[in-house]
Amino acid sequence: MNGYSFLIFIDMKIIVLMKQVANKDAVLRIGADEKWINENDIAHQTNESDGYALEEALRMKEAKGEGEVVVCSLGPQSAKTVIKDALARGADRAIHVVAEDSKTLSPYQIANAIADAIREENADMVFSGLQSDDASYGQTGVILAELLGIPHATLVIEVDRSKLEGSVRIKRELESGWYQWFNYKLPALLTIQSGISQIRYASLKGIMAAKKKEIRDVTLPLENFASAQKIEKVYMPLKTKQTQMLGNGDAKAGAVELVEKLKTEIRVL
Amino acid sequence: MILVFIEHKNCVLNKTSLEAIAAAQSIGKDLGLKVSAVIPCDKDCALAQEIAQYDIEKVIVAKNEKLGTYTPDAYADAWEQVIKATEPQYIVMSHTYQVRDFAPKVAARLGREVVGDVIRYSADGGRLELTRRIFLGKLDADVTIGGDAPYFITFQSGAFRGDSAAEGSAAVETMDVQVGDIRMTAEDPFQEAKATVDLSKSQIIVAVGRGIKSQENIALAQQLADALGADLAASRPICDAEWLPIDRQIGSSGQTVAPKVYIALGISGAIQHIVGMKNANTIIAINKDAEAPIFDIADYGIVGDLFDAVPVMIEEIKKAKG
Ligand SMILES: Cc1cc2nc3c(=O)[nH]c(=O)nc-3n(C[C@H](O)[C@H](O)[C@H](O)COP(=O)(O)OP(=O)(O)OC[C@H]3O[C@@H](n4cnc5c(N)ncnc54)[C@H](O)[C@@H]3O)c2cc1C
Ligand SMILES: Nc1ncnc2c1ncn2[C@@H]1O[C@H](COP(=O)(O)O)[C@@H](O)[C@H]1O
């Protein structure tokens, strides 16, 4: 490591991508055009892994003692809820790429718009979630890294916060319980896996402080992208297995029937 | 032409690549396209002869000394050149963690994106329609890709059977590729300290998901497990929240189990969970959402509140056991 790298990172800047998605427990109804769900009266939340990405960014800033955490979300005005929550939890400011019809955008289009919105920030690190819980493209972060010309790592499950001098040492999750550490020169983009650390709640103080923080709205001409993937139709998955439904909607009656099955059909009692 | 990616570690095949071969052969048949396999390696890969036993046209070993250990930068450079040299229509891969890491980068470099984690496809009039699961498995989406070739597709593990890949004989060819600056260095892969519980030997598993709501409620699931003589397991969010230790996690990043009975309490049934337990003999799901994808693979289901069902189950089991 070179002798003055600490000078470069006194002002470490981390941009965190956060997406607003349908609440996990929301009952999904297919929209009239059958190309997405009807989002009108649905509860929303922050995409799960993005919450972890923010938490990791805040912890890195705290470990470093100084720096800036900037949240960036692309979506309709309603995505402000996600942004405000992030600011209340400790992010310093936000960039909102306002796009009312963001559900129809492909991952390349989203990444391209975000790249245009954040390129001049010259961040030391960009964090995204691993995957969005609605579209589940699993690639917006990786495409963004390529468009910004910076290296990336996916499925990051630990960051070595003791070593942050111009490079970063990160642990990636591989399949079936395997892991691997990688070293990256900064700048770099990391896609964060859920569970990297325990997420803090917004404090009352944080909520108050958030009111004074900057949210910069950006509207960009969303370019047409010829190679976009396009959803033609969404529908309920076809059932593959014959399931015996017990209790007919009455959980207690179902429990009684189930124990009977455990005894007579499944034979484990 | 279709290119199919062969994943390996030190020339040892990742078997899901055979599923990708089967997928590519199937698409090739439907669209009248030939299939070639691509193996990035730092030597004349020992795996090439093994892959040449399949019914494909060519095995291309993309060779460079920097391809010995996987890095996204080296793989992206290698793929970019293979694609430019061979001009494929389709690039087919299995949706492994490694592919998730580099495929979108290669695609983006060529001004494309990946249609990822596809579960099936149909070919009508030379045009593919690909089906992906969205909203954590709750909905299916039929997707088409616009623009010009190449088109990048990754298939979900299990979408095709590896043992159905047709055999034949292929020519092996080495393509020396240039690899530029690698901006990351890899240490050796490792496994975390051995899991203290080995759930792969469990006969009965009671698994809890986010539907359990709070750490205190884990005790209720434990009581059910005790009554049944079962082991307790969990979905990822429960382990992420540290309500149960990580060695209780079932799924693609946790343990793979095949007990006699698997009882899923408040688990929605996302694919990453299902891959870890779908081989259980009998799957039982209790979930208040009748549309939860876990019911697609369950043998028995109760639609309702687990907090109503579980205490009754514990009572009834005690009675049954006398
Ligand atoms: C690369 C990658 C790897 C992953 N690896 C894994 C893995 O190894 N293992 C894993 O499990 N996940 C893994 N995941 C996460 C996975 O995608 C899902 O997010 C996760 O499995 C969801 O867990 P869940 O079903 O407990 O929670 P949810 O999806 O939130 O489901 C909770 C369910 O509980 C039901 N419910 C709520 N309240 C009640 C009640 N009172 N009574 C009855 N039912 C109720 C709801 O209807 C819902 O269906 C991975 C994801 C990625 C992207
Ligand atoms: N509209 C968006 N706004 C902000 N971040 C996004 C958006 N879409 C995707 N991302 C980020 O990219 C990650 C991967 O998303 P996806 O490629 O859709 O699976 C998410 O976890 C977010 O961090």
Side-chain angles (χ1 to χ4, degrees):
Chain A
M1 201 142 307
N2 69 53
Y4 30 69
S5 53
F6 68 93
L7 283 176
I8 306 171
F9 285 98
I10 283 195
D11 253 349
M12 184 173 60
K13 187 196 282 184
I14 308 176
I15 294 181
V16 184
L17 304 191
M18 301 185 81
K19 184 182 188 187
Q20 184 183 50
V21 297
N23 189 289
K24 287 212 175 189
D25 293 330
V27 177
L28 306 180
R29 267 166 314 182
I30 292 168
D33 65 356
E34 295 183 62
K35 292 189 194 289
W36 195 250
I37 58 160
N38 183 349
E39 296 228 25
N40 286 340
D41 39 27
I42 228 171
H44 287 90
Q45 66 178 70
T46 301
N47 186 53
E48 178 162 33
S49 51
D50 303 0
Y52 285 100
L54 173 66
E55 180 62 38
E56 191 55 35
L58 295 172
R59 288 186 187 210
M60 284 184 76
K61 177 186 153 180
E62 284 155 8
K64 201 72 193 134
E66 45 207 315
E68 192 182 26
V69 174
V70 183
V71 168
C72 177
S73 187
L74 180 149
Q77 278 301 346
S78 66
K80 285 278 184 325
T81 328
V82 164
I83 291 174
K84 285 179 183 159
D85 179 58
L87 295 174
R89 283 200 271 140
D92 297 290
R93 64 184 165 91
I95 301 168
H96 184 183
V97 185
V98 182
E100 286 306 325
D101 213 10
S102 58
K103 304 301 165 198
T104 61
L105 298 176
S106 82
Y108 191 99
Q109 287 173 301
I110 294 171
N112 200 36
I114 291 176
D116 288 345
I118 68 169
R119 190 170 281 115
E120 262 141 45
E121 294 276 345
N122 288 313
D124 302 297
M125 272 187 278
V126 181
F127 288 2
S128 79
L130 172 71
Q131 188 161 310
S132 60
D133 290 338
D134 52 0
S136 299
Y137 294 125
Q139 54 187 311
T140 304
V142 178
I143 298 172
L144 176 62
E146 181 66 18
L147 295 176
L148 292 175
I150 64 176
H152 78 268
T154 56
L155 282 146
V156 173
I157 193 65
E158 194 177 332
V159 178
D160 185 350
R161 289 188 216 110
S162 68
K163 294 203 186 76
L164 284 175
E165 302 296 341
S167 69
V168 65
R169 185 168 174 264
I170 54 102
K171 186 164 104 184
R172 292 190 56 224
E173 186 178 301
L174 309 180
E175 274 136 359
S176 347
W178 285 80
Y179 297 91
Q180 190 171 17
W181 285 96
F182 282 81
N183 289 277
Y184 280 75
K185 270 185 240 150
L186 296 181
L189 182 145
L190 310 180
T191 84
I192 305 291
Q193 168 69 299
S194 298
I196 190 166
S197 52
Q198 295 308 304
I199 295 181
R200 71 193 65 190
Y201 291 103
S203 63
L204 193 58
K205 201 167 142 231
I207 295 169
M208 296 312 288
K211 299 203 164 114
K212 293 192 213 79
K213 291 177 179 171
E214 175 195 294
I215 303 176
R216 184 159 59 88
D217 277 9
V218 182
T219 33
L220 296 162
L222 287 167
E223 284 153 49
N224 185 33
F225 176 58
S227 296
Q229 53 195 292
K230 187 161 151 258
I231 294 182
E232 305 289 348
K233 188 178 159 75
V234 298
Y235 49 95
M236 292 291 187
L238 316 163
K239 272 201 152 282
T240 50
K241 209 168 189 175
Q242 203 58 38
T243 309
Q244 279 194 52
M245 286 299 183
L246 309 174
N248 205 4
D250 177 344
K252 290 179 181 164
V256 175
E257 286 174 41
L258 178 58
V259 174
E260 187 59 26
K261 302 278 182 197
L262 285 168
K263 204 161 122 188
T264 56
E265 285 180 19
I266 312 167
R267 295 170 179 278
V268 286
L269 287 183
Chain B
M1 198 223 347
I2 302 173
L3 289 181
V4 52
F5 168 57
I6 306 299
E7 183 170 329
H8 69 103
K9 204 161 89 191
N10 302 325
C11 308
V12 178
L13 177 69
N14 179 331
K15 286 235 157 53
T16 56
S17 295
L18 299 180
E19 299 178 11
I21 293 179
Q25 286 176 335
S26 171
I27 295 174
K29 216 167 123 202
D30 286 341
L31 300 184
L33 296 171
K34 294 203 164 102
V35 177
S36 285
V38 177
I39 315 180
C41 197
D42 59 342
K43 43 189 163 300
D44 293 316
C45 192
L47 191 55
Q49 290 307 330
E50 191 180 328
I51 299 304
Q53 313 282 312
Y54 287 92
D55 186 20
I56 53 181
E57 195 188 22
K58 262 192 303 195
V59 178
I60 302 167
V61 179
K63 193 168 136 187
N64 185 289
E65 58 192 6
K66 292 181 185 166
L67 292 167
T69 37
Y70 169 78
T71 59
D73 277 355
Y75 266 50
D77 284 359
W79 265 102
E80 182 185 0
Q81 284 167 61
V82 174
I83 292 168
K84 286 189 170 151
T86 59
E87 300 186 341
Q89 263 83 40
Y90 288 91
I91 293 139
V92 172
M93 309 193 187
S94 282
H95 194 71
T96 62
Y97 285 14
Q98 188 179 95
V99 166
R100 298 174 63 108
D101 194 55
F102 77 82
K105 180 178 173 70
V106 180
R109 193 174 284 181
L110 301 172
R112 303 290 191 286
E113 56 187 30
V114 176
V115 180
D117 218 6
V118 170
I119 53 174
R120 61 175 178 269
Y121 78 88
S122 65
D124 271 337
R127 198 174 122 106
L128 288 192
E129 196 161 77
L130 305 141
T131 305
R132 317 175 50 232
R133 288 264 143 98
I134 54 174
F135 289 95
L136 295 167
K138 288 186 197 132
L139 295 176
D140 278 357
D142 290 344
V143 171
T144 53
I145 327 175
D148 301 328
Y151 309 108
F152 290 79
I153 304 169
T154 70
F155 281 97
Q156 188 166 94
S157 132
F160 283 82
R161 291 182 58 108
D163 58 14
S164 75
E167 289 172 20
S169 100
V172 175
E173 179 180 290
T174 301
M175 188 185 291
D176 288 306
V177 289
Q178 309 290 317
V179 174
D181 246 9
I182 310 287
R183 296 165 295 179
M184 64 286 295
T185 54
E187 299 175 23
D188 286 336
F190 63 98
Q191 271 182 303
E192 295 283 76
K194 256 271 165 267
T196 48
V197 273
D198 179 5
L199 297 171
S200 67
K201 301 207 169 59
S202 304
Q203 288 293 308
I204 308 178
I205 289 177
V206 171
V208 289
R210 205 197 301 267
I212 200 76
K213 296 276 181 331
S214 73
Q215 186 162 23
E216 297 76 64
N217 294 336
I218 301 278
L220 179 67
Q222 183 69 59
Q223 283 167 32
L224 176 62
D226 291 345
L228 282 166
D231 288 310
L232 198 58
S235 66
R236 179 165 192 131
I238 302 304
C239 301
D240 285 349
E242 294 175 357
W243 296 352
L244 280 173
I246 184 125
D247 54 13
R248 300 268 165 186
Q249 181 175 312
I250 306 296
S252 64
S253 38
Q255 298 202 45
T256 301
V257 296
K260 251 178 108 168
V261 182
Y262 190 93
I263 305 180
L265 303 176
I267 292 179
S268 63
I271 176 65
Q272 294 87 3
H273 186 80
I274 287 177
V275 292
M277 45 65 78
K278 61 172 190 262
N279 290 326
N281 266 338
T282 301
I283 297 170
I284 299 167
I286 303 180
N287 196 305
K288 66 178 186 190
D289 176 7
E291 314 286 1
I294 190 79
F295 288 123
D296 297 348
I297 59 155
D299 300 281
Y300 299 90
I302 297 176
V303 177
D305 195 323
L306 74 91
F307 297 104
D308 289 335
V310 173
V312 175
M313 281 182 74
I314 297 169
E315 282 288 296
E316 292 293 311
I317 292 164
K318 284 185 181 150
K319 269 196 237 161
K321 284 192 165 170

